[in-house]
């Protein structure tokens, strides 16, 4: 499969997963659970090792998509239950390590073995992703950035911190401003328009598609 062949990012609960091949990494996206969460299996094609972004729900579905490949770790993007309700069973079956930001780690149902701070590097086989701490949706929300370099655009897994049309829910105006500050400085100012965004719910987008709306997002206050 070439990078984009057959991949739209439009998946539905109960429907098939979608996969795409990036330089050095295969991404499989599957929708699970009553909140229509996205889970992402990031697979190193050279070693077969897999990193799961959010064991959100339906552990049987996630394990089916994993197949026989080794799951090396599960990264939870933030502490809301709909992003980790399948975690206990996935870890029980696979023995994968649990990783999250230290500020959201207490919300998880298992001990967090790897705390991921801003700028940390996370390996999956021969591929490496960088942690971006995005405060506001929760104190310890994080995104994972994969940048293979060369002509390929970066790829960003954002949890509930960035969607098509805005950021995830914030409970106070200060939280909204904090999240906008982090998105503008750490994401939109640092990455090109071609950066592909994989959110925690719904369809994918790109930074270029969302960038023109940043002033509107900030002004609306949520």
């Amino acid at each position: 499969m070439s990078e984009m062949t057959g991949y739209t990012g439009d998946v539905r609960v109960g429907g098939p997963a979608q996969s795409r091949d990036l330089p050095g990494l295969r991404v499989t996206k599957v929708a699970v659970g009553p909140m229509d969460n996205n889970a992402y299996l990031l697979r190193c094609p050279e070693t077969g090792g897999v990193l799961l972004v959010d064991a959100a729900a339906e552990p049987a579905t996630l394990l089916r998509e994993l197949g026989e490949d080794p799951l090396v770790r599960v990264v939870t993007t933030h502490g809301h239950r709909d992003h980790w309700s399948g975690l206990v069973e996935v870890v029980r079956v696979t023995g994968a390590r649990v990783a999250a930001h230290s500020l959201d780690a207490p919300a998880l149902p298992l001990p967090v073995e790897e705390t991921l701070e801003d700028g940390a590097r996370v390996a999956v086989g021969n591929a490496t992703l960088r942690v971006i701490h995005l405060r506001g949706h929760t104190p310890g929300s994080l995104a994972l950035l994969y940048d293979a370099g060369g002509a390929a655009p970066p790829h960003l897994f954002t949890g509930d911190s960035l969607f098509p049309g805005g950021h995830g829910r914030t409970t106070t105006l200060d939280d909204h401003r904090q999240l906008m500050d982090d998105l503008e400085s750490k994401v939109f100012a640092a990455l090109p328009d071609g950066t592909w965004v994989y959110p925690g719910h719904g369809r994918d987008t790109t930074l270029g598609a969302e960038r023109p709306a940043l002033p509107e997002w900030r002004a609306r206050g949520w």
Side-chain angles (χ1 to χ4, degrees), residues 39 52-57 62 74-76 81-87 90:
L52 172 60
V53 181
D54 286 344
L62 302 178
V74 181
V75 175
T76 301
R81 183 183 181 90
D82 62 307
H83 289 260
W84 55 253
S85 65
L87 182 62
V90 167

Side-chain angles (χ1 to χ4, degrees), residues 11-15 29-39 54-62 64 81-87 200-202:
V11 294
R12 294 289 183 268
V13 174
K29 177 180 182 179
V30 60
V32 293
M35 301 290 287
D36 294 333
N37 285 74
N38 296 324
D54 286 344
E58 298 182 33
T61 299
L62 302 178
R64 183 182 68 242
R81 183 183 181 90
D82 62 307
H83 289 260
W84 55 253
S85 65
L87 182 62
H201 306 262

